Amino acid sequence: MKIFTTKQIAGLDAYTIKNEPILDIDLMERASLQVSNWLVQEFTTERKMVFFAGPGNNGGDALAIARQLADLDYVCEVYLLDFGKVLKGSPAINWQRLEEQGKVILHKITAINEFPETEDSDVIIDGLFGSGLTRPLEGLPAEIVRKINQLPNGVVAIDIPSGLLGEDNSENQLENIIRADYTLTFQFAKLSFLFAENAEYVGEWEVLPIGLHPDGIEQFTSPYLLVEQNDILDKMPARSKFDHKGNLGHALLIAGSYGKMGAAVLASKACLRAGVGLLTTHVPHMGYSIIQTAVPEAMASIDQHDSMFTQFPALDAFSAIGIGPGLGQKQNSRKALCELLETAKIPLVIDADALNILSENPEWLEKLPEGSILTPHPGEFKRLVGDTQNSYQSIRKQLEFSEKYKCVVILKGAHTSVSTASGNLYFNSTGNPGMATAGSGDVLTGIISGLLAQEMKSEDAAVLGVYLHGLAGDLAAAKKSENALIAGDIIEFMGQAYKHLSNEQ
C-alpha cells in the first residue's frame, strides 16, 4: 500500500471528485458512512456520542456521522468550534442537514468555558482538524484538545487525531494533540502513524476504504510504502521440479565468539529455514563442536583463533555473506572485517557487532559492496548516522544513508523500515511485541542471508525477509503467546509462514 503525504491525499480527493465524477458532499457522505459503520460495530446505542467538530472538512465528516448515527437511534450531541465565521461548502451543508433532521443537539463553542460536562460512558468523536492541518494548534482549539485529553472518556479520531501532522512533528506542540484510543483513517495510513512516539496519540488505527479513484492512486507516486501480503507474494522465491541444492544458493555466515555461540546457531538455523541450498557457518575454533551438533545441516568453516573471528574462507563459492551475530568487537575481528569489506564482491548482510565496528570506523562505509544490507536496531542506527530528534528525521537520514552508500538499511522496530539506494522506504506490517527478545535480530540476519543467497535482489530479500520474520513471529505468538515468545520460535514457524503465503498465491 502506498503511503501518501497529506498534500497528495488532498490531491487524490480532488482527482476523485473530478474523474469519478462525484460531488465533494457525496464523497464526504461516503467516507462518513464508513466511520459510522465502524462505530455501530463497536458501540451500542446506550453510549452517547459527543462530537467535537471544526469548521473544515474534518468537521464536515463529524457532522455527517452524527446525522447518520442519529438516524440509527444513537444519542448524539455536537459541539462546533466557532471562530465567528460563516460555515462554507460541505460542512455548511451537513450543518443544515442536522438542523433539518432535528435529532441531534447542536452547540457552538466560542470559549473554553462552554466546554460540556460529559458522562464517563460517553464516546468522544474527534472531528476538530484533519490531515490538512499544517501548523501546531493554539488558542481555543488547543484548549479544547487539552480538555478532552484530561477526560476519562474513550476517544475516536476521524482520519487523524486533531493536532497531529501527517509527516513531520518535530516543531509540533505535543500537548496540543488529541490522544485517541482509535483512529479511523481514510483510504491510506498517514506516515506519522508508523512512528513510535506518535502511538499515544493515534491509539489503534484502522484504514477505511472510501473509494478514491484507482487511476489517481496508480498515477500518484510516493517513496513510502506499507508492505502488506499482496505486496510481497511476487517476491517469493519460486522452485522448479529440477532444482537442487547446488542452484539454490550457498550462503556464508560469519558469526559467534566465546560466550555468544547461540547467535551463530540461531542465524544458521534461520538461514536454512529461509530456503538456501547450502550454508557454511564460519565460527571460532571453540565453536566447531557447537555448530556441528546444533546445526548438522550446515557446513563448518573454522577460524584459526579459538574464541573470535580473525579470518574468513575463500569467497568464490558463496552467493551471499552474512556477518555480525555474536561476533564480538576484538581488535583482530575489526581487522578481519575490514579485509572482508575490501575483498567481497557480493552484497553483505551486516548486523550486530559488525555494525558497531563499522560505526567506529565510518571511513570503511565506502568499502561496502553495492547492494549490501545493514540491519541496525535504533541504538545501532544512532551510532551509524548520529542523533535524531524523532522518527521522521530518522527515516530521512536512513534514506540519505542508503542513497550515499548504495545499500539497503533495515531499521528495526514495530514497523521496521527498509530503505533502498533508489530512494524507496518500505514499512513492514507484520510482527508483534513478543519479538522484542534476545536473538530475534540474529534470526532476521539468517533469513535475509538465506534469501539473498538465492539470487534475490537486495531490496526484495530485505523486504520479504522482514515480512517473513514478522509473520513467523505472529504465527508463533498466536500459538505460544507474546510473553513467552523466544527467538527459536520464530525459526520454528518459518515453515508455517511460507505455507501461509503460498496458500494466498
Side-chain angles (χ1 to χ4, degrees):
M1 175 197 294
K2 293 179 182 177
I3 302 174
F4 294 107
T5 65
T6 50
K7 286 184 178 180
Q8 286 179 307
I9 292 172
L12 281 167
D13 286 346
Y15 185 98
T16 301
I17 289 167
K18 179 180 178 180
N19 291 280
E20 186 169 333
I22 185 173
L23 295 175
D24 178 75
I25 185 65
D26 294 329
L27 181 59
M28 183 175 287
E29 189 77 4
R30 191 159 74 192
S32 300
L33 277 170
Q34 288 290 326
V35 176
S36 294
N37 289 337
W38 188 95
L39 291 169
V40 167
Q41 296 298 317
E42 190 71 21
F43 303 107
T44 69
T45 54
E46 296 176 356
R47 306 280 295 273
K48 184 168 78 171
M49 301 290 170
V50 181
F51 292 80
F52 289 88
N57 280 348
N58 196 247
D61 293 328
L63 300 177
I65 295 163
R67 171 174 43 79
Q68 292 162 3
L69 291 181
D71 277 337
L72 297 173
D73 296 327
Y74 282 83
V75 176
C76 298
E77 202 162 341
V78 167
Y79 292 84
L80 177 68
L81 185 60
D82 186 1
F83 293 113
K85 297 180 180 179
V86 177
L87 277 182
K88 296 180 180 179
S90 295
I93 294 173
N94 275 323
W95 181 264
Q96 181 180 352
R97 288 176 177 179
L98 279 172
E99 289 180 322
E100 293 170 352
Q101 181 196 49
K103 294 182 178 181
V104 176
I105 303 171
L106 302 177
H107 307 269
K108 292 185 178 181
I109 296 184
T110 60
I112 195 61
N113 60 8
E114 296 168 345
F115 192 93
E117 296 288 333
T118 59
E119 299 292 333
D120 289 356
S121 61
D122 294 348
V123 179
I124 292 177
I125 310 298
D126 165 35
L128 288 167
F129 296 93
S131 58
L133 190 69
T134 58
R135 56 189 174 86
L137 295 183
E138 56 187 18
L140 179 58
E143 291 182 289
I144 293 174
V145 165
R146 291 196 296 270
K147 192 77 172 177
I148 291 173
N149 286 341
Q150 293 171 2
L151 299 175
N153 304 71
V155 178
V156 179
I158 301 171
D159 196 34
I160 189 171
S162 291
L164 184 68
L165 304 178
E167 292 82 43
D168 184 7
N169 284 272
S170 301
E171 306 299 325
N172 207 341
Q173 299 296 317
L174 303 183
E175 68 274 14
N176 297 337
I177 301 174
I178 284 286
R179 289 182 172 88
D181 296 289
Y182 301 96
T183 297
L184 306 177
T185 194
F186 296 139
Q187 197 75 46
F188 311 101
K190 308 300 185 288
L191 188 61
S192 58
F193 291 6
L194 305 175
F195 301 152
E197 64 267 25
N198 296 331
E200 63 179 300
Y201 311 111
V202 180
E204 296 182 33
W205 55 272
E206 187 169 335
V207 176
L208 301 181
I210 62 170
L212 293 185
H213 203 293
D215 290 347
I217 295 172
E218 180 67 25
Q219 292 174 26
F220 281 50
T221 61
S222 173
Y224 307 116
L225 299 102
L226 179 63
V227 179
E228 299 179 310
Q229 187 166 280
N230 289 338
D231 300 314
I232 52 91
L233 292 178
D234 63 347
K235 301 183 190 301
M236 290 274 286
R239 295 206 173 194
S240 74
K241 179 179 179 179
F242 297 101
D243 278 336
H244 54 84
K245 65 183 181 183
N247 65 6
L248 290 173
H250 188 172
L252 170 66
L253 278 177
I254 301 172
S257 60
Y258 184 79
K260 299 180 180 179
M261 282 304 301
V265 171
L266 288 168
S268 297
K269 287 184 175 181
C271 185
L272 289 161
R273 287 294 186 192
V276 71
L278 294 166
L279 169 64
T280 295
T281 303
H282 182 86
V283 296
H285 194 274
M286 50 73 57
Y288 170 71
S289 60
I290 296 173
I291 202 72
Q292 289 281 264
T293 303
V295 195
E297 299 91 348
M299 294 176 283
S301 168
I302 310 304
D303 200 281
Q304 62 187 358
H305 199 282
D306 188 57
S307 60
M308 71 179 74
F309 164 58
T310 66
Q311 61 179 158
F312 50 89
L315 303 179
D316 295 345
F318 305 112
S319 47
I321 303 167
I323 183 169
L327 198 70
Q329 300 182 52
K330 300 293 186 182
Q331 185 58 40
N332 287 347
S333 298
R334 294 168 184 263
K335 180 180 177 182
L337 175 59
C338 183
E339 292 174 355
L340 178 65
L341 292 172
E342 293 172 341
T343 305
K345 305 300 180 187
I346 56 175
L348 306 179
V349 181
I350 303 176
D351 184 33
D353 286 327
L355 284 175
N356 292 324
I357 294 171
L358 270 181
S359 298
E360 294 179 3
N361 299 274
E363 67 277 9
W364 295 359
L365 292 169
E366 299 290 349
K367 305 176 189 289
L368 286 173
E370 186 170 338
S372 290
I373 302 172
L374 282 62
T375 65
H377 59 56
E380 292 163 344
F381 183 74
K382 178 180 176 180
R383 289 190 284 274
L384 269 177
V385 306
D387 288 332
T388 58
Q389 281 188 317
N390 56 33
S391 297
Y392 182 77
Q393 291 184 1
S394 290
I395 64 168
R396 298 311 307 168
K397 283 198 172 186
Q398 185 183 354
L399 282 165
E400 290 170 6
F401 189 98
S402 285
E403 292 173 15
K404 180 176 181 179
Y405 296 109
K406 295 181 173 57
C407 66
V408 174
V409 177
I410 298 172
L411 179 52
K412 292 180 282 195
H415 289 287
T416 293
S417 55
V418 180
S419 60
T420 71
S422 60
N424 288 327
L425 191 75
Y426 300 86
F427 290 93
N428 191 45
S429 63
T430 59
N432 62 82
M435 297 174 70
T437 184
S440 180
D442 303 323
V443 172
L444 179 61
T445 296
I447 292 171
I448 294 172
S449 298
L451 293 172
L452 190 62
Q454 296 173 65
E455 298 187 353
M456 293 188 70
K457 295 178 181 178
S458 297
E459 179 176 326
D460 291 343
V463 172
L464 176 59
V466 168
Y467 189 93
L468 279 169
H469 181 253
L471 178 58
D474 288 341
L475 295 169
K479 187 75 172 179
K480 300 189 175 186
S481 84
E482 290 182 0
N483 291 42
L485 191 68
I486 61 174
D489 297 332
I490 303 172
I491 300 170
E492 180 185 339
F493 279 83
M494 274 293 292
Q496 292 297 317
Y498 268 128
K499 286 182 67 176
H500 178 87
L501 294 178
S502 296
N503 290 339
E504 296 299 321
Q505 287 184 310

